């Protein structure tokens, strides 16, 4: 692998990690190992790096490879111009910062026909050099020598020379870095409303930014993205500014020496170069840079929320009724078996305007009894609360199923997708949506992997950020969650298997096809018989696939097959079978794992093995809990300042958390209202779908905004 030593040094220095750990990680990544596999099963080689650190190494490695490719293009272009020198080539080879690299390249970069280029073609470059040297007492006299058929007069000659100087100033690395320093130190971002749009309804959501100004370095991700969205919708005008007079004065000190005519011409050229070329270039650079940083932060928060959502508490394999609530169109009800298979569906109409309450009650009771329903999942959209109240009143006294309100974000996207059509070709979108709601209760992870993460509703400005980077990060997050939980090899859908380390869509489909043709897998070793699943893919995926009830109990654990022999030796030394070792705590406590350390298996792996033997195949997710809204509050009009209400956290941002309190409009707990102490990151004190108590502190009916607080509210 080319440049591995250089990459290792750069990455280890930037991330403050040991060089040998970075080098080994890069080698593993280059061999095709996945991040979950490396972090779980190659701790000895990486020094125990976690997924976050390995992901950072991987991302930085990809950026460095892009810079290496860019350098090849730059060297080739300059060489073809016959302007390459040994010193220039060394500078390029030693440079690994994109901004610096582009500054080096800028004077040689092919560009459209500029005013300076026209002046050069007219032979005015020597005049520009004379003026810039500032030794000519009478530059007009020197300029007369350059009046030709292409250059009409002295004034034209001098103007052309100034154009050349202006371009040189704008392309000079020192000048660019000087202006960059000013932007870093003092740049302000300003937002003004487009007057013709000020009083429109769509503009009101941007009213905070109608006349806004703040230092760019203090502008948070969500504010910048909000302003940029307002700009893209034609409601706001955004600019990034510095003190131009101060910047020009600083630049002139670099170029102007004295007070003569030449110095005046150079000063004019410097000012022109700054205003016409340098300022727009650096302003664009900082606009892009601030947008990249805002994107990165928004994507980080989105990924953090997505992880919490995917790792939400599962109900498990129980017979579930899924209800997609509605008023006019009725409630679509589905009954699922413990594996999530559709048994029955129908629509009931307990709400206005139809009001078939008695009929809906009878049908609901019949379905609960006939399909032995153990739990009910109700979507949290329109008519959710009314439907939950109807279900509670319709269920006869005695043992009733648990009732849960489930987020239906993305259910409509799933119901219209090819995935849903393939699963339920004979059912309409309403049935598919209700099935998705029911399955989410049973296993959020298994169901949500079928939906584009952007449609799940836990991000902010997800359509405004870099879409390639967003997809990359969210795919990594889904892969991480799937492999953290582990996957039942005999029940997992193609979509869930796709995210298992080392598989992907083709091998996932091949596993499903093999399962259909040959029945359930009885051992992990059988995976080797799946078409196109070779040794490398088997090594990557085997540890994350579970087979409940397998002959070898390790096949239902996170112990990798490459370590089975270690466990078998432990069991043999204790005079028992592997199954007995798993069930016998005293036998496990008697093991001294240091006896089993080898060159291939170190203490980190042995420690992981012992933890897994304690609870093989355990699910790391929490237990699910029922929830009740305050029955006295139904709409936003019922809210009063000071009310304390139960709620569910539906989304987390840098500026706070959105909480559903059952009035069809989420309220915001600003970060300053999350706790009685300073909170820098909301995720430190709150998590998605957490049940909380909040106090109403303000209600804005016009903008449909609810302000909430958790300060002083006993949780």
């Amino acid at each position: 692998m080319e440049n591995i030593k250089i990459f290792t040094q750069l990455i280890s220095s930037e991330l403050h990690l040991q060089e040998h750990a970075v080098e080994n990680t890069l080698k593993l990544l280059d061999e095709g190992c996945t991040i979950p596999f490396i972090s779980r099963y190659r701790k000895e080689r990486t020094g125990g790096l976690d997924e976050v650190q390995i992901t950072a190494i991987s991302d930085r490695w990809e950026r460095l490879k892009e810079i290496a490719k860019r350098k090849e293009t730059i060297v080739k272009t300059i060489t073809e111009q016959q302007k390459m020198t040994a010193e220039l080539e060394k500078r390029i080879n030693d440079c690994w910062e994109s901004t610096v690299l582009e500054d080096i390249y800028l004077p040689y970069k092919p560009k459209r026909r500029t005013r300076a280029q026209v002046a050069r073609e007219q032979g005015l470059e020597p005049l520009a050099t004379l003026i810039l040297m500032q030794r000519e007492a009478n530059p007009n006299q020197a300029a007369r020598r350059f009046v030709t058929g292409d250059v009409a007069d002295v004034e034209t000659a001098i103007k052309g020379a100034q154009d050349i100087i202006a371009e040189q100033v704008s392309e000079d690395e020192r000048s660019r870095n000087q202006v960059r320093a000013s932007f870093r130190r003092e740049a302000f971002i300003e937002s003004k409303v487009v007057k013709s749009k000020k009083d429109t309804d769509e503009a009101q959501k941007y009213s905070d930014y109608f006349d806004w100004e703040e230092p760019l370095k203090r502008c948070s991700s969500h504010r910048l993205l909000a302003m940029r969205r307002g700009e893209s919708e034609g409601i706001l005008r955004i600019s990034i500014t510095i003190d131009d007079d101060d910047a020009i004065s600083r630049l002139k000190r670099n170029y102007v020496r004295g007070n003569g005519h030449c110095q005046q011409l150079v000063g004019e050229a410097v000012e022109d170069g700054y205003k016409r070329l340098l300022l727009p270039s650096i302003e664009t650079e900082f606009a892009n840079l601030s947008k990249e940083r805002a994107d990165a932060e928004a994507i980080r928060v989105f990924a953090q929320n997505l992880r919490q959502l995917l790792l939400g508490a599962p109900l498990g394999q129980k017979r579930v009724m899924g209800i997609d609530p509605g008023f006019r169109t009725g409630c679509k009800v589905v009954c699922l078996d413990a594996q999530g298979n559709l048994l029955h569906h129908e629509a009931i109409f307990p709400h206005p305007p139809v009001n078939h309450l008695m009929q809906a009650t009878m049908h609901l009771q019949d379905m609960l009894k006939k399909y032995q329903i153990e739990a009910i999942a109700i979507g949290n959209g329109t008519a959710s609360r009314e439907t939950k109240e109807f279900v509670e009143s319709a269920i006869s006294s005695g043992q009733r199923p648990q009732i849960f309100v489930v987020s239906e974000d993305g259910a409509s996207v799933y119901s219209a997708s090819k995935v849903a059509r393939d699963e339920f070709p004979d059912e309409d979108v309403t049935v598919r949506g209700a099935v998705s709601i029911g399955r989410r209760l049973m296993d959020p992870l298994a169901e949500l992997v079928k939906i584009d993460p952007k449609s799940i509703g836990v991000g902010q400005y997800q359509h405004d950020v870099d879409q390639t980077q967003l997809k990359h990060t969210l795919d990594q997050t889904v892969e991480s969650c799937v492999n953290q939980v582990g996957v039942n090899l005999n029940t997992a859908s193609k979509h869930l298997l796709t995210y298992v380390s080392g598989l992907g869509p083709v091998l996932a489909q091949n596993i499903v096809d093999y399962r259909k043709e040959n029945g359930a897998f009885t051992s992990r070793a059988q995976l080797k018989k799946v078409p196109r699943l070779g040794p490398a893919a088997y090594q990557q995926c085997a540890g994350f696939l579970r087979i409940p009830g397998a002959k070898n109990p390790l096949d239902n654990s996170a112990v990798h097959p490459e370590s089975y022999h270690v466990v078998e030796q432990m069991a043999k030394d204790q005079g028992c079978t592997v199954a007995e070792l798993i069930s016998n705590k005293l036998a496990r406590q008697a093991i001294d794992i240091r006896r089993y350390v080898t060159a291939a298996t170190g203490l980190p792996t042995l420690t992981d093995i012992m933890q897994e033997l304690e609870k093989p195949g355990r699910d790391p997710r929490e237990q699910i809990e029922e929830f009740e809204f305050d029955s006295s509050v139904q709409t936003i009009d019922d809210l009063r300042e000071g009310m304390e209400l139960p709620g569910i956290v539906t989304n987390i941002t840098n500026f706070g958390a959105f909480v559903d309190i059952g009035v069809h409009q989420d309220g915001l707990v600003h970060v300053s209202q999350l706790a009685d102490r300073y909170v820098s990151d909301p995720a430190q004190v709150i998590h998605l779908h957490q049940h909380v108590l909040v106090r109403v502190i303000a209600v804005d009916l016009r903008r449909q905004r609810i302000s909430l607080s958790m300060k002083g509210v006993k949780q």
Side-chain angles (χ1 to χ4, degrees):
M1 188 169 56
E2 290 184 24
N3 293 319
I4 189 166
K5 289 293 184 186
I6 296 172
F7 289 171
T8 296
Q9 291 167 0
L10 289 167
I11 295 171
S12 64
S13 174
E14 181 180 333
L15 301 179
H16 308 292
L17 298 172
Q18 294 290 327
E19 283 194 16
H20 71 87
V22 173
E23 183 173 358
N24 286 339
T25 301
L26 291 178
K27 287 178 179 176
L28 288 164
L29 289 167
D30 195 50
E31 291 166 11
C33 296
T34 68
I35 292 171
F37 176 81
I38 296 170
S39 67
R40 182 69 176 82
Y41 296 114
R42 291 296 179 264
K43 291 180 178 177
E44 285 81 1
R45 289 186 64 180
T46 68
L49 297 181
D50 60 26
E51 276 196 27
V52 174
Q53 293 168 313
I54 296 168
T55 299
I57 292 171
S58 176
D59 290 346
R60 183 59 178 149
W61 181 42
E62 291 300 324
R63 289 201 300 274
L64 289 172
K65 287 193 292 185
E66 287 175 8
I67 292 173
K69 285 183 182 178
R70 179 65 175 155
K71 286 162 72 168
E72 289 175 9
T73 301
I74 289 172
V75 168
K76 181 182 177 184
T77 303
I78 298 175
T79 302
E80 287 173 350
Q81 295 174 10
Q82 298 183 334
K83 295 179 179 177
M84 182 62 74
T85 64
E87 181 185 357
L88 180 58
E89 188 167 14
K90 184 178 187 305
R91 283 199 69 199
I92 294 170
N93 289 336
D94 290 346
C95 178
W96 291 99
E97 289 292 333
S98 292
T99 302
V100 177
L101 184 64
E102 294 302 327
D103 276 356
I104 295 171
Y105 181 41
L106 189 57
Y108 309 95
K109 188 176 184 178
K111 53 178 77 75
R112 62 182 175 79
R113 201 157 175 264
T114 63
R115 281 161 45 174
Q117 185 60 36
V118 172
R120 289 190 184 97
E121 291 169 3
Q122 293 171 340
L124 295 173
E125 191 155 22
L127 178 60
T129 303
L130 281 172
I131 293 173
L132 194 56
M133 290 172 66
Q134 300 166 57
R135 293 175 184 169
E136 292 286 331
N138 190 345
N140 287 350
Q141 186 173 342
R144 288 195 186 97
R145 302 198 304 268
F146 295 90
V147 176
T148 64
D150 293 329
V151 181
D153 50 35
V154 167
E155 184 180 346
T156 303
I158 288 178
K159 184 59 183 165
Q162 285 182 304
D163 286 340
I164 293 172
I165 295 170
E167 187 170 276
Q168 288 175 346
V169 169
S170 74
E171 293 181 349
D172 179 69
E173 285 182 63
R174 184 174 60 163
S175 298
R176 297 181 72 81
N177 285 331
Q178 196 171 46
V179 176
R180 278 193 192 102
S182 295
F183 267 81
R184 274 192 293 270
R185 191 172 52 247
E186 63 189 57
F188 273 76
I189 184 166
E190 297 178 355
S191 171
K192 304 288 184 185
V193 67
V194 175
K195 289 184 179 179
S196 61
K197 299 287 186 72
K198 184 175 182 179
D199 296 322
T200 61
D201 289 340
E202 60 265 27
Q204 293 312 305
K205 59 185 174 182
Y206 300 109
S207 59
D208 291 344
Y209 304 108
F210 282 1
D211 188 14
W212 180 268
E213 179 183 278
E214 69 175 314
L216 180 63
K217 60 186 176 184
R218 292 185 194 162
C219 184
S220 66
S221 164
H222 64 271
R223 285 201 298 275
L224 190 138
L225 291 173
M227 284 187 269
R228 290 297 181 197
R229 180 184 284 182
E231 182 181 46
S232 68
E233 293 178 7
I235 293 167
L236 303 176
R237 285 199 183 95
I238 311 301
S239 61
I240 298 173
T241 60
I242 59 172
D243 185 332
D244 289 340
D245 292 340
D246 183 60
I248 292 168
S249 176
R250 289 168 185 267
L251 280 178
K252 283 182 177 179
R253 286 200 288 270
N254 296 337
Y255 293 95
V256 180
R257 298 181 294 276
N259 296 307
H261 192 184
C262 275
Q263 286 81 356
Q264 179 188 341
L265 294 176
V266 171
E268 291 171 357
V270 169
E271 185 167 346
D272 175 53
Y274 170 80
K275 289 181 177 178
R276 181 168 56 86
L277 301 171
L278 186 51
L279 177 62
S281 173
I282 302 299
E283 183 180 351
T284 299
E285 183 181 304
F286 270 75
N288 292 338
L289 185 62
S290 62
K291 174 68 163 55
E292 286 173 16
R293 288 174 178 162
D295 282 3
E297 181 60 17
I299 290 170
R300 183 193 69 80
V301 173
F302 195 156
Q304 183 174 265
N305 287 350
L306 178 63
R307 176 178 294 277
Q308 292 181 12
L309 186 67
L310 293 174
L311 296 179
L315 180 68
Q317 292 191 326
K318 292 189 177 183
R319 293 181 295 279
V320 167
M321 174 182 285
I323 304 178
D324 187 357
F327 289 115
R328 182 181 56 81
T329 56
C331 300
K332 182 62 70 174
V333 183
V334 298
C335 298
L336 310 174
D337 67 15
Q339 284 71 46
N341 298 310
L342 178 62
L343 302 174
H344 173 78
H345 69 83
E346 65 178 88
I348 57 176
F349 297 84
H351 308 309
V354 182
N355 280 324
H356 288 170
L357 183 60
M358 290 301 297
Q359 185 185 60
T361 301
M362 290 172 58
H363 282 240
L364 185 77
Q365 291 172 346
D366 288 345
M367 285 185 278
L368 291 173
K369 185 176 181 181
K370 182 176 180 180
Y371 299 103
Q372 298 177 294
I373 297 300
E374 299 172 90
I376 299 173
I378 300 171
N380 69 342
T382 304
S384 174
R385 282 197 68 174
E386 293 81 357
T387 301
K388 185 170 184 285
E389 289 168 4
F390 155 71
V391 170
E392 288 172 337
S393 65
I395 297 175
S396 54
S397 59
Q399 192 72 28
R400 73 173 179 85
Q402 291 178 285
I403 302 173
F404 300 92
V405 175
V406 177
S407 169
E408 59 183 50
D409 283 331
S412 59
V413 174
Y414 161 77
S415 64
S417 69
K418 183 179 184 302
V419 175
R421 292 196 301 273
D422 290 345
E423 282 195 279
F424 302 104
D426 300 324
E427 309 297 348
D428 66 22
V429 291
T430 61
V431 174
R432 298 171 193 157
V435 169
S436 179
I437 289 168
R439 286 178 172 175
R440 288 182 193 202
L441 176 62
M442 300 167 73
D443 190 338
L445 179 60
E447 191 61 21
L448 291 171
V449 293
K450 302 173 186 176
I451 303 170
D452 180 351
K454 285 192 298 182
S455 302
I456 294 176
V458 292
Q460 276 250 307
Y461 306 105
Q462 57 261 43
H463 300 292
D464 302 317
V465 302
D466 183 293
Q467 296 300 294
T468 302
Q469 186 59 42
L470 176 65
K471 185 179 188 308
H472 171 70
T473 302
L474 297 185
D475 283 348
Q476 277 188 336
T477 302
V478 176
E479 181 184 42
S480 170
C481 292
V482 169
N483 291 287
Q484 182 181 339
V485 172
V487 169
N488 185 327
L489 181 55
N490 286 322
T491 62
S493 67
K494 168 194 169 181
H495 318 287
L496 190 57
L497 288 167
T498 295
Y499 287 100
V500 171
S501 169
L503 292 184
V506 174
L507 289 179
Q509 186 62 57
N510 290 353
I511 288 173
V512 172
D513 293 342
Y514 183 90
R515 203 167 60 195
K516 285 179 182 175
E517 293 170 14
N518 301 280
F521 286 86
T522 57
S523 73
R524 280 172 168 166
Q526 271 183 278
L527 282 163
K528 297 175 182 178
K529 297 179 181 179
V530 173
R532 298 180 65 179
L533 202 156
Y538 177 76
Q539 181 194 55
Q540 295 295 307
C541 75
F544 302 104
L545 295 168
R546 310 276 187 268
I547 306 176
K551 183 178 179 182
N552 185 342
L554 296 179
D555 282 346
N556 192 38
S557 74
V559 177
H560 197 282
E562 65 189 11
S563 297
Y564 282 8
H565 68 281
V566 178
V567 182
E568 288 161 1
Q569 187 61 52
M570 289 176 175
K572 184 179 179 182
D573 292 346
Q574 294 300 314
C576 64
T577 65
V578 170
E580 290 167 344
L581 184 65
I582 291 172
S583 62
N584 190 332
K585 184 177 181 180
L586 292 176
R588 293 196 307 275
Q589 288 177 337
I591 294 172
D592 180 2
I593 61 173
R594 289 172 296 184
R595 289 181 51 204
Y596 301 93
V597 173
T598 66
T601 308
L603 283 173
T605 294
L606 291 167
T607 302
D608 284 348
I609 287 172
M610 295 307 295
Q611 288 176 348
E612 191 60 26
L613 293 180
E614 185 179 338
K615 291 182 180 177
R618 65 183 166 189
D619 193 320
R621 296 173 288 184
E622 297 177 352
Q623 293 295 308
I624 195 166
E625 298 176 355
E626 289 187 74
F627 175 82
E628 292 283 346
F629 287 119
D630 188 314
S631 59
S632 66
V633 174
Q634 300 289 330
T635 71
I636 193 170
D637 296 318
D638 296 330
L639 296 178
R640 299 290 181 270
E641 288 185 22
M643 280 184 168
E644 290 192 2
L645 303 168
I648 300 175
V649 178
T650 58
N651 202 357
I652 300 173
T653 69
N654 272 349
F655 55 85
F658 288 93
V659 177
D660 182 1
I661 53 175
V663 296
H664 309 298
Q665 176 64 49
D666 289 355
L668 173 65
V669 183
H670 189 267
V671 62
S672 62
Q673 297 292 326
L674 280 171
D676 293 316
R677 58 182 175 80
Y678 173 74
V679 175
S680 59
D681 180 4
Q684 294 174 349
V685 296
I686 205 166
H687 61 81
L688 212 60
H689 290 178
Q690 181 178 338
H691 298 173
V692 295
L693 277 174
V694 294
R695 184 174 63 256
V696 179
I697 56 176
V699 180
D700 183 339
L701 292 175
R702 185 190 175 197
R703 296 201 289 177
Q704 291 287 289
R705 288 187 178 179
I706 305 165
S707 299
L708 305 171
S709 176
M710 290 171 58
K711 278 186 170 182
V713 183
K714 191 172 181 181
Q715 300 297 321

